[in-house]
mmCIF file of all heavy atoms in Angstrom:
data_model
loop_
_atom_site.group_PDB
_atom_site.id
_atom_site.type_symbol
_atom_site.label_atom_id
_atom_site.label_comp_id
_atom_site.label_asym_id
_atom_site.label_seq_id
_atom_site.Cartn_x
_atom_site.Cartn_y
_atom_site.Cartn_z
ATOM 1 N N CYS A 1 8.650 -9.135 4.802
ATOM 2 C CA CYS A 1 7.443 -8.309 4.776
ATOM 3 C C CYS A 1 7.640 -7.147 3.866
ATOM 4 O O CYS A 1 8.569 -6.391 3.991
ATOM 5 C CB CYS A 1 7.157 -7.809 6.231
ATOM 6 S SG CYS A 1 5.663 -6.856 6.319
ATOM 7 N N ILE A 2 6.756 -7.032 2.860
ATOM 8 C CA ILE A 2 6.763 -5.858 1.983
ATOM 9 C C ILE A 2 5.746 -4.902 2.520
ATOM 10 O O ILE A 2 4.545 -5.250 2.731
ATOM 11 C CB ILE A 2 6.447 -6.310 0.541
ATOM 12 C CG1 ILE A 2 7.545 -7.226 0.072
ATOM 13 C CG2 ILE A 2 6.291 -5.110 -0.388
ATOM 14 C CD1 ILE A 2 7.278 -7.824 -1.295
ATOM 15 N N ILE A 3 6.156 -3.662 2.771
ATOM 16 C CA ILE A 3 5.296 -2.655 3.374
ATOM 17 C C ILE A 3 4.632 -1.837 2.285
ATOM 18 O O ILE A 3 5.254 -1.403 1.338
ATOM 19 C CB ILE A 3 6.123 -1.759 4.290
ATOM 20 C CG1 ILE A 3 6.772 -2.532 5.387
ATOM 21 C CG2 ILE A 3 5.244 -0.660 4.887
ATOM 22 C CD1 ILE A 3 7.749 -1.773 6.203
ATOM 23 N N GLY A 4 3.327 -1.562 2.463
ATOM 24 C CA GLY A 4 2.613 -0.682 1.515
ATOM 25 C C GLY A 4 1.315 -0.253 2.152
ATOM 26 O O GLY A 4 0.897 -0.776 3.230
ATOM 27 N N GLY A 5 0.664 0.669 1.515
ATOM 28 C CA GLY A 5 -0.622 1.154 2.057
ATOM 29 C C GLY A 5 -1.470 1.693 0.928
ATOM 30 O O GLY A 5 -1.049 1.739 -0.226
ATOM 31 N N VAL A 6 -2.672 2.100 1.268
ATOM 32 C CA VAL A 6 -3.571 2.655 0.284
ATOM 33 C C VAL A 6 -3.941 4.087 0.552
ATOM 34 O O VAL A 6 -4.478 4.755 -0.272
ATOM 35 C CB VAL A 6 -4.863 1.811 0.147
ATOM 36 C CG1 VAL A 6 -4.608 0.441 -0.417
ATOM 37 C CG2 VAL A 6 -5.580 1.694 1.465
ATOM 38 N N LYS A 7 -3.566 4.584 1.731
ATOM 39 C CA LYS A 7 -3.907 5.942 2.064
ATOM 40 C C LYS A 7 -3.397 6.985 1.096
ATOM 41 O O LYS A 7 -4.109 7.934 0.735
ATOM 42 C CB LYS A 7 -3.389 6.332 3.479
ATOM 43 C CG LYS A 7 -3.736 7.716 3.933
ATOM 44 C CD LYS A 7 -3.135 8.025 5.297
ATOM 45 C CE LYS A 7 -3.305 9.514 5.519
ATOM 46 N NZ LYS A 7 -2.325 10.011 6.446
ATOM 47 N N ALA A 8 -2.166 6.843 0.620
ATOM 48 C CA ALA A 8 -1.588 7.803 -0.328
ATOM 49 C C ALA A 8 -2.351 7.781 -1.643
ATOM 50 O O ALA A 8 -2.394 8.791 -2.365
ATOM 51 C CB ALA A 8 -0.121 7.483 -0.555
ATOM 52 N N ASN A 9 -2.966 6.635 -1.938
ATOM 53 C CA ASN A 9 -3.684 6.551 -3.220
ATOM 54 C C ASN A 9 -5.103 7.073 -3.157
ATOM 55 O O ASN A 9 -5.607 7.637 -4.084
ATOM 56 C CB ASN A 9 -3.738 5.107 -3.673
ATOM 57 C CG ASN A 9 -2.367 4.493 -3.928
ATOM 58 O OD1 ASN A 9 -1.521 4.587 -3.086
ATOM 59 N ND2 ASN A 9 -2.164 3.893 -5.062
ATOM 60 N N ILE A 10 -5.794 6.851 -2.012
ATOM 61 C CA ILE A 10 -7.212 7.211 -1.910
ATOM 62 C C ILE A 10 -7.502 8.212 -0.829
ATOM 63 O O ILE A 10 -8.634 8.645 -0.702
ATOM 64 C CB ILE A 10 -8.083 5.961 -1.740
ATOM 65 C CG1 ILE A 10 -7.799 5.259 -0.408
ATOM 66 C CG2 ILE A 10 -7.950 5.017 -2.916
ATOM 67 C CD1 ILE A 10 -8.754 4.173 -0.064
ATOM 68 N N GLY A 11 -6.549 8.572 -0.021
ATOM 69 C CA GLY A 11 -6.800 9.533 1.061
ATOM 70 C C GLY A 11 -7.258 8.836 2.314
ATOM 71 O O GLY A 11 -7.189 7.632 2.444
ATOM 72 N N HIS A 12 -7.688 9.617 3.267
ATOM 73 C CA HIS A 12 -8.142 9.060 4.559
ATOM 74 C C HIS A 12 -9.390 8.254 4.336
ATOM 75 O O HIS A 12 -10.416 8.764 3.784
ATOM 76 C CB HIS A 12 -8.452 10.200 5.552
ATOM 77 C CG HIS A 12 -7.214 10.944 5.926
ATOM 78 N ND1 HIS A 12 -6.305 10.477 6.866
ATOM 79 C CD2 HIS A 12 -6.700 12.132 5.523
ATOM 80 C CE1 HIS A 12 -5.284 11.331 6.998
ATOM 81 N NE2 HIS A 12 -5.517 12.354 6.179
ATOM 82 N N ALA A 13 -9.405 7.023 4.770
ATOM 83 C CA ALA A 13 -10.521 6.127 4.582
ATOM 84 C C ALA A 13 -11.345 5.918 5.827
ATOM 85 O O ALA A 13 -12.443 5.360 5.767
ATOM 86 C CB ALA A 13 -10.070 4.807 3.981
ATOM 87 N N ASN A 14 -10.801 6.340 6.964
ATOM 88 C CA ASN A 14 -11.437 6.144 8.278
ATOM 89 C C ASN A 14 -11.976 4.724 8.438
ATOM 90 O O ASN A 14 -11.179 3.767 8.526
ATOM 91 C CB ASN A 14 -12.556 7.124 8.494
ATOM 92 C CG ASN A 14 -12.014 8.570 8.560
ATOM 93 O OD1 ASN A 14 -10.887 8.792 8.987
ATOM 94 N ND2 ASN A 14 -12.837 9.525 8.220
ATOM 95 N N HIS A 15 -13.252 4.531 8.475
ATOM 96 C CA HIS A 15 -13.783 3.207 8.754
ATOM 97 C C HIS A 15 -13.589 2.192 7.578
ATOM 98 O O HIS A 15 -13.582 1.005 7.817
ATOM 99 C CB HIS A 15 -15.310 3.287 9.023
ATOM 100 C CG HIS A 15 -15.599 4.196 10.180
ATOM 101 N ND1 HIS A 15 -15.171 3.868 11.493
ATOM 102 C CD2 HIS A 15 -16.248 5.366 10.318
ATOM 103 C CE1 HIS A 15 -15.561 4.852 12.295
ATOM 104 N NE2 HIS A 15 -16.220 5.768 11.599
ATOM 105 N N ALA A 16 -13.343 2.666 6.437
ATOM 106 C CA ALA A 16 -13.143 1.822 5.225
ATOM 107 C C ALA A 16 -11.706 1.422 5.043
ATOM 108 O O ALA A 16 -11.351 0.715 4.087
ATOM 109 C CB ALA A 16 -13.697 2.458 3.967
ATOM 110 N N ALA A 17 -10.801 1.845 5.903
ATOM 111 C CA ALA A 17 -9.377 1.588 5.748
ATOM 112 C C ALA A 17 -9.090 0.073 5.705
ATOM 113 O O ALA A 17 -8.295 -0.363 4.831
ATOM 114 C CB ALA A 17 -8.582 2.231 6.843
ATOM 115 N N GLY A 18 -9.682 -0.695 6.579
ATOM 116 C CA GLY A 18 -9.447 -2.136 6.579
ATOM 117 C C GLY A 18 -9.942 -2.776 5.283
ATOM 118 O O GLY A 18 -9.245 -3.664 4.747
ATOM 119 N N VAL A 19 -11.073 -2.355 4.796
ATOM 120 C CA VAL A 19 -11.608 -2.920 3.564
ATOM 121 C C VAL A 19 -10.739 -2.517 2.395
ATOM 122 O O VAL A 19 -10.458 -3.328 1.533
ATOM 123 C CB VAL A 19 -13.086 -2.418 3.333
ATOM 124 C CG1 VAL A 19 -13.601 -2.839 1.984
ATOM 125 C CG2 VAL A 19 -13.979 -2.877 4.437
ATOM 126 N N ALA A 20 -10.239 -1.308 2.403
ATOM 127 C CA ALA A 20 -9.373 -0.858 1.295
ATOM 128 C C ALA A 20 -8.088 -1.667 1.291
ATOM 129 O O ALA A 20 -7.606 -2.138 0.180
ATOM 130 C CB ALA A 20 -9.018 0.610 1.426
ATOM 131 N N GLY A 21 -7.492 -1.930 2.405
ATOM 132 C CA GLY A 21 -6.276 -2.762 2.485
ATOM 133 C C GLY A 21 -6.545 -4.195 2.063
ATOM 134 O O GLY A 21 -5.758 -4.788 1.383
ATOM 135 N N PHE A 22 -7.678 -4.738 2.515
ATOM 136 C CA PHE A 22 -8.075 -6.123 2.124
ATOM 137 C C PHE A 22 -8.239 -6.206 0.585
ATOM 138 O O PHE A 22 -7.749 -7.159 -0.039
ATOM 139 C CB PHE A 22 -9.351 -6.496 2.815
ATOM 140 C CG PHE A 22 -9.877 -7.855 2.401
ATOM 141 C CD1 PHE A 22 -9.234 -8.999 2.843
ATOM 142 C CD2 PHE A 22 -10.987 -7.925 1.592
ATOM 143 C CE1 PHE A 22 -9.745 -10.255 2.451
ATOM 144 C CE2 PHE A 22 -11.477 -9.162 1.214
ATOM 145 C CZ PHE A 22 -10.865 -10.338 1.637
ATOM 146 N N LEU A 23 -8.891 -5.221 -0.011
ATOM 147 C CA LEU A 23 -9.109 -5.233 -1.470
ATOM 148 C C LEU A 23 -7.752 -5.137 -2.194
ATOM 149 O O LEU A 23 -7.571 -5.776 -3.234
ATOM 150 C CB LEU A 23 -10.012 -4.110 -1.887
ATOM 151 C CG LEU A 23 -11.486 -4.259 -1.433
ATOM 152 C CD1 LEU A 23 -12.293 -3.051 -1.784
ATOM 153 C CD2 LEU A 23 -12.112 -5.485 -2.041
ATOM 154 N N LYS A 24 -6.839 -4.337 -1.649
ATOM 155 C CA LYS A 24 -5.494 -4.221 -2.293
ATOM 156 C C LYS A 24 -4.803 -5.602 -2.271
ATOM 157 O O LYS A 24 -4.233 -5.982 -3.292
ATOM 158 C CB LYS A 24 -4.628 -3.200 -1.555
ATOM 159 C CG LYS A 24 -3.237 -3.069 -2.126
ATOM 160 C CD LYS A 24 -2.435 -2.007 -1.399
ATOM 161 C CE LYS A 24 -1.053 -1.900 -2.033
ATOM 162 N NZ LYS A 24 -0.214 -0.890 -1.341
ATOM 163 N N VAL A 25 -4.857 -6.292 -1.143
ATOM 164 C CA VAL A 25 -4.242 -7.627 -1.063
ATOM 165 C C VAL A 25 -4.905 -8.566 -2.061
ATOM 166 O O VAL A 25 -4.251 -9.362 -2.755
ATOM 167 C CB VAL A 25 -4.307 -8.187 0.353
ATOM 168 C CG1 VAL A 25 -3.906 -9.637 0.421
ATOM 169 C CG2 VAL A 25 -3.432 -7.355 1.269
ATOM 170 N N CYS A 26 -6.218 -8.536 -2.155
ATOM 171 C CA CYS A 26 -6.960 -9.397 -3.139
ATOM 172 C C CYS A 26 -6.511 -9.146 -4.575
ATOM 173 O O CYS A 26 -6.291 -10.084 -5.334
ATOM 174 C CB CYS A 26 -8.466 -9.196 -3.016
ATOM 175 S SG CYS A 26 -9.171 -9.832 -1.474
ATOM 176 N N LYS A 27 -6.340 -7.856 -4.921
ATOM 177 C CA LYS A 27 -5.895 -7.514 -6.266
ATOM 178 C C LYS A 27 -4.434 -7.968 -6.491
ATOM 179 O O LYS A 27 -4.067 -8.390 -7.594
ATOM 180 C CB LYS A 27 -6.020 -6.019 -6.523
ATOM 181 C CG LYS A 27 -7.485 -5.515 -6.563
ATOM 182 C CD LYS A 27 -8.316 -6.239 -7.615
ATOM 183 C CE LYS A 27 -8.062 -5.782 -8.983
ATOM 184 N NZ LYS A 27 -8.890 -6.411 -10.007
ATOM 185 N N ILE A 28 -3.624 -7.902 -5.483
ATOM 186 C CA ILE A 28 -2.251 -8.362 -5.591
ATOM 187 C C ILE A 28 -2.230 -9.853 -5.880
ATOM 188 O O ILE A 28 -1.515 -10.360 -6.771
ATOM 189 C CB ILE A 28 -1.408 -8.030 -4.311
ATOM 190 C CG1 ILE A 28 -1.147 -6.535 -4.222
ATOM 191 C CG2 ILE A 28 -0.085 -8.815 -4.264
ATOM 192 C CD1 ILE A 28 -0.582 -6.123 -2.886
ATOM 193 N N LEU A 29 -3.026 -10.600 -5.140
ATOM 194 C CA LEU A 29 -3.111 -12.026 -5.327
ATOM 195 C C LEU A 29 -3.665 -12.392 -6.685
ATOM 196 O O LEU A 29 -3.282 -13.362 -7.332
ATOM 197 C CB LEU A 29 -3.942 -12.701 -4.206
ATOM 198 C CG LEU A 29 -3.289 -12.607 -2.806
ATOM 199 C CD1 LEU A 29 -4.241 -13.135 -1.768
ATOM 200 C CD2 LEU A 29 -1.971 -13.340 -2.744
ATOM 201 N N GLN A 30 -4.657 -11.646 -7.150
ATOM 202 C CA GLN A 30 -5.300 -11.895 -8.444
ATOM 203 C C GLN A 30 -4.364 -11.624 -9.614
ATOM 204 O O GLN A 30 -4.200 -12.378 -10.550
ATOM 205 C CB GLN A 30 -6.558 -11.052 -8.570
ATOM 206 C CG GLN A 30 -7.274 -11.190 -9.896
ATOM 207 C CD GLN A 30 -8.457 -10.280 -10.006
ATOM 208 O OE1 GLN A 30 -8.507 -9.218 -9.437
ATOM 209 N NE2 GLN A 30 -9.494 -10.731 -10.768
ATOM 210 N N ASN A 31 -3.660 -10.480 -9.561
ATOM 211 C CA ASN A 31 -2.846 -10.003 -10.681
ATOM 212 C C ASN A 31 -1.396 -10.406 -10.582
ATOM 213 O O ASN A 31 -0.641 -10.247 -11.507
ATOM 214 C CB ASN A 31 -2.924 -8.492 -10.800
ATOM 215 C CG ASN A 31 -4.325 -8.032 -11.088
ATOM 216 O OD1 ASN A 31 -5.098 -8.676 -11.797
ATOM 217 N ND2 ASN A 31 -4.724 -6.900 -10.513
ATOM 218 N N LYS A 32 -0.949 -10.890 -9.417
ATOM 219 C CA LYS A 32 0.437 -11.315 -9.174
ATOM 220 C C LYS A 32 1.429 -10.155 -9.375
ATOM 221 O O LYS A 32 2.571 -10.338 -9.802
ATOM 222 C CB LYS A 32 0.859 -12.469 -10.085
ATOM 223 C CG LYS A 32 -0.051 -13.677 -9.998
ATOM 224 C CD LYS A 32 0.184 -14.423 -8.697
ATOM 225 C CE LYS A 32 -0.511 -15.765 -8.713
ATOM 226 N NZ LYS A 32 -1.491 -15.916 -7.676
ATOM 227 N N ILE A 33 0.957 -8.903 -9.116
ATOM 228 C CA ILE A 33 1.772 -7.728 -9.166
ATOM 229 C C ILE A 33 1.603 -6.907 -7.897
ATOM 230 O O ILE A 33 0.483 -6.642 -7.491
ATOM 231 C CB ILE A 33 1.368 -6.836 -10.367
ATOM 232 C CG1 ILE A 33 1.588 -7.540 -11.684
ATOM 233 C CG2 ILE A 33 2.154 -5.507 -10.346
ATOM 234 C CD1 ILE A 33 3.021 -7.712 -12.099
ATOM 235 N N ILE A 34 2.700 -6.551 -7.250
ATOM 236 C CA ILE A 34 2.644 -5.673 -6.058
ATOM 237 C C ILE A 34 2.806 -4.248 -6.579
ATOM 238 O O ILE A 34 3.811 -3.913 -7.190
ATOM 239 C CB ILE A 34 3.766 -6.006 -5.080
ATOM 240 C CG1 ILE A 34 3.642 -7.430 -4.625
ATOM 241 C CG2 ILE A 34 3.700 -5.027 -3.903
ATOM 242 C CD1 ILE A 34 4.821 -7.933 -3.822
ATOM 243 N N PRO A 35 1.771 -3.444 -6.391
ATOM 244 C CA PRO A 35 1.874 -2.044 -6.895
ATOM 245 C C PRO A 35 2.861 -1.215 -6.081
ATOM 246 O O PRO A 35 3.064 -1.513 -4.869
ATOM 247 C CB PRO A 35 0.453 -1.479 -6.724
ATOM 248 C CG PRO A 35 -0.138 -2.335 -5.634
ATOM 249 C CD PRO A 35 0.508 -3.665 -5.710
ATOM 250 N N PRO A 36 3.500 -0.211 -6.660
ATOM 251 C CA PRO A 36 4.445 0.596 -5.919
ATOM 252 C C PRO A 36 3.715 1.500 -4.916
ATOM 253 O O PRO A 36 2.528 1.824 -5.099
ATOM 254 C CB PRO A 36 5.080 1.428 -7.023
ATOM 255 C CG PRO A 36 4.117 1.514 -8.109
ATOM 256 C CD PRO A 36 3.376 0.191 -8.076
ATOM 257 N N GLN A 37 4.430 1.916 -3.909
ATOM 258 C CA GLN A 37 3.877 2.858 -2.957
ATOM 259 C C GLN A 37 3.973 4.222 -3.679
ATOM 260 O O GLN A 37 5.070 4.698 -4.003
ATOM 261 C CB GLN A 37 4.679 2.845 -1.651
ATOM 262 C CG GLN A 37 4.125 3.773 -0.590
ATOM 263 C CD GLN A 37 2.756 3.348 -0.131
ATOM 264 O OE1 GLN A 37 2.421 2.187 -0.112
ATOM 265 N NE2 GLN A 37 2.000 4.353 0.241
ATOM 266 N N ILE A 38 2.855 4.877 -3.876
ATOM 267 C CA ILE A 38 2.808 6.136 -4.609
ATOM 268 C C ILE A 38 3.630 7.209 -3.916
ATOM 269 O O ILE A 38 3.658 7.258 -2.649
ATOM 270 C CB ILE A 38 1.349 6.570 -4.825
ATOM 271 C CG1 ILE A 38 1.265 7.700 -5.874
ATOM 272 C CG2 ILE A 38 0.695 6.996 -3.565
ATOM 273 C CD1 ILE A 38 -0.116 7.960 -6.362
ATOM 274 N N ASN A 39 4.314 8.035 -4.665
ATOM 275 C CA ASN A 39 5.132 9.139 -4.142
ATOM 276 C C ASN A 39 6.297 8.737 -3.276
ATOM 277 O O ASN A 39 6.856 9.505 -2.545
ATOM 278 C CB ASN A 39 4.280 10.171 -3.393
ATOM 279 C CG ASN A 39 3.225 10.792 -4.297
ATOM 280 O OD1 ASN A 39 3.420 11.017 -5.460
ATOM 281 N ND2 ASN A 39 2.078 11.076 -3.692
ATOM 282 N N PHE A 40 6.686 7.453 -3.364
ATOM 283 C CA PHE A 40 7.818 6.978 -2.557
ATOM 284 C C PHE A 40 9.075 6.918 -3.403
ATOM 285 O O PHE A 40 9.047 6.407 -4.531
ATOM 286 C CB PHE A 40 7.532 5.581 -1.979
ATOM 287 C CG PHE A 40 8.714 4.975 -1.307
ATOM 288 C CD1 PHE A 40 9.031 5.348 -0.021
ATOM 289 C CD2 PHE A 40 9.496 4.027 -1.947
ATOM 290 C CE1 PHE A 40 10.122 4.816 0.616
ATOM 291 C CE2 PHE A 40 10.609 3.490 -1.314
ATOM 292 C CZ PHE A 40 10.917 3.899 -0.011
ATOM 293 N N THR A 41 10.143 7.506 -2.913
ATOM 294 C CA THR A 41 11.425 7.451 -3.623
ATOM 295 C C THR A 41 12.461 6.709 -2.783
ATOM 296 O O THR A 41 13.010 5.705 -3.216
ATOM 297 C CB THR A 41 11.925 8.863 -4.013
ATOM 298 O OG1 THR A 41 11.949 9.697 -2.874
ATOM 299 C CG2 THR A 41 11.047 9.440 -5.114
ATOM 300 N N ASN A 42 12.765 7.232 -1.594
ATOM 301 C CA ASN A 42 13.757 6.613 -0.737
ATOM 302 C C ASN A 42 13.238 6.610 0.701
ATOM 303 O O ASN A 42 12.682 7.560 1.153
ATOM 304 C CB ASN A 42 15.063 7.442 -0.764
ATOM 305 C CG ASN A 42 15.737 7.410 -2.136
ATOM 306 O OD1 ASN A 42 15.718 6.431 -2.804
ATOM 307 N ND2 ASN A 42 16.224 8.541 -2.515
ATOM 308 N N PRO A 43 13.586 5.529 1.444
ATOM 309 C CA PRO A 43 13.142 5.487 2.835
ATOM 310 C C PRO A 43 14.030 6.375 3.677
ATOM 311 O O PRO A 43 15.167 6.735 3.318
ATOM 312 C CB PRO A 43 13.347 4.004 3.244
ATOM 313 C CG PRO A 43 14.405 3.530 2.313
ATOM 314 C CD PRO A 43 14.233 4.283 1.035
ATOM 315 N N ASN A 44 13.581 6.774 4.843
ATOM 316 C CA ASN A 44 14.334 7.482 5.809
ATOM 317 C C ASN A 44 15.544 6.640 6.172
ATOM 318 O O ASN A 44 15.410 5.470 6.541
ATOM 319 C CB ASN A 44 13.487 7.812 7.050
ATOM 320 C CG ASN A 44 14.192 8.642 8.084
ATOM 321 O OD1 ASN A 44 15.392 8.451 8.360
ATOM 322 N ND2 ASN A 44 13.470 9.574 8.656
ATOM 323 N N SER A 45 16.747 7.171 6.159
ATOM 324 C CA SER A 45 17.951 6.392 6.423
ATOM 325 C C SER A 45 18.002 5.879 7.822
ATOM 326 O O SER A 45 18.673 4.897 8.121
ATOM 327 C CB SER A 45 19.216 7.245 6.136
ATOM 328 O OG SER A 45 19.214 8.378 6.953
ATOM 329 N N ASN A 46 17.304 6.501 8.738
ATOM 330 C CA ASN A 46 17.230 6.037 10.166
ATOM 331 C C ASN A 46 16.498 4.722 10.304
ATOM 332 O O ASN A 46 16.655 4.041 11.316
ATOM 333 C CB ASN A 46 16.592 7.078 11.056
ATOM 334 C CG ASN A 46 17.451 8.283 11.168
ATOM 335 O OD1 ASN A 46 18.654 8.233 11.149
ATOM 336 N ND2 ASN A 46 16.836 9.461 11.298
ATOM 337 N N LEU A 47 15.705 4.322 9.310
ATOM 338 C CA LEU A 47 14.971 3.034 9.360
ATOM 339 C C LEU A 47 15.876 1.848 9.149
ATOM 340 O O LEU A 47 15.593 0.772 9.630
ATOM 341 C CB LEU A 47 13.859 2.997 8.319
ATOM 342 C CG LEU A 47 12.707 4.006 8.514
ATOM 343 C CD1 LEU A 47 11.750 3.934 7.333
ATOM 344 C CD2 LEU A 47 11.999 3.724 9.820
ATOM 345 N N ASN A 48 16.981 2.023 8.405
ATOM 346 C CA ASN A 48 17.914 0.888 8.130
ATOM 347 C C ASN A 48 17.201 -0.344 7.572
ATOM 348 O O ASN A 48 17.415 -1.442 8.070
ATOM 349 C CB ASN A 48 18.736 0.534 9.379
ATOM 350 C CG ASN A 48 19.641 1.609 9.874
ATOM 351 O OD1 ASN A 48 20.274 2.273 9.006
ATOM 352 N ND2 ASN A 48 19.694 1.849 11.127
#
């Protein structure tokens, strides 16, 4: 499982959050590129 989201890119989407995630997956499948998680450098070490 590759974890990602769209909130950091577009802000709080409230009711449109599901649609935004669905569109992100559609674009990944179309372009064959998984975009990076914006502003992410290193995970919390406690996550292992």
Side-chain angles (χ1 to χ4, degrees):
C1 184
I2 296 175
I3 301 172
V6 293
K7 181 183 168 204
N9 298 52
I10 64 172
H12 295 280
N14 295 333
H15 300 297
V19 173
F22 176 74
L23 292 175
K24 179 179 180 180
V25 170
C26 290
K27 294 303 283 183
I28 289 170
L29 294 174
Q30 179 183 29
N31 298 324
K32 305 286 190 242
I33 299 287
I34 301 170
Q37 185 63 33
I38 194 168
N39 299 325
F40 173 78
T41 52
N42 297 320
N44 183 320
S45 60
N46 292 327
L47 293 175
N48 294 319

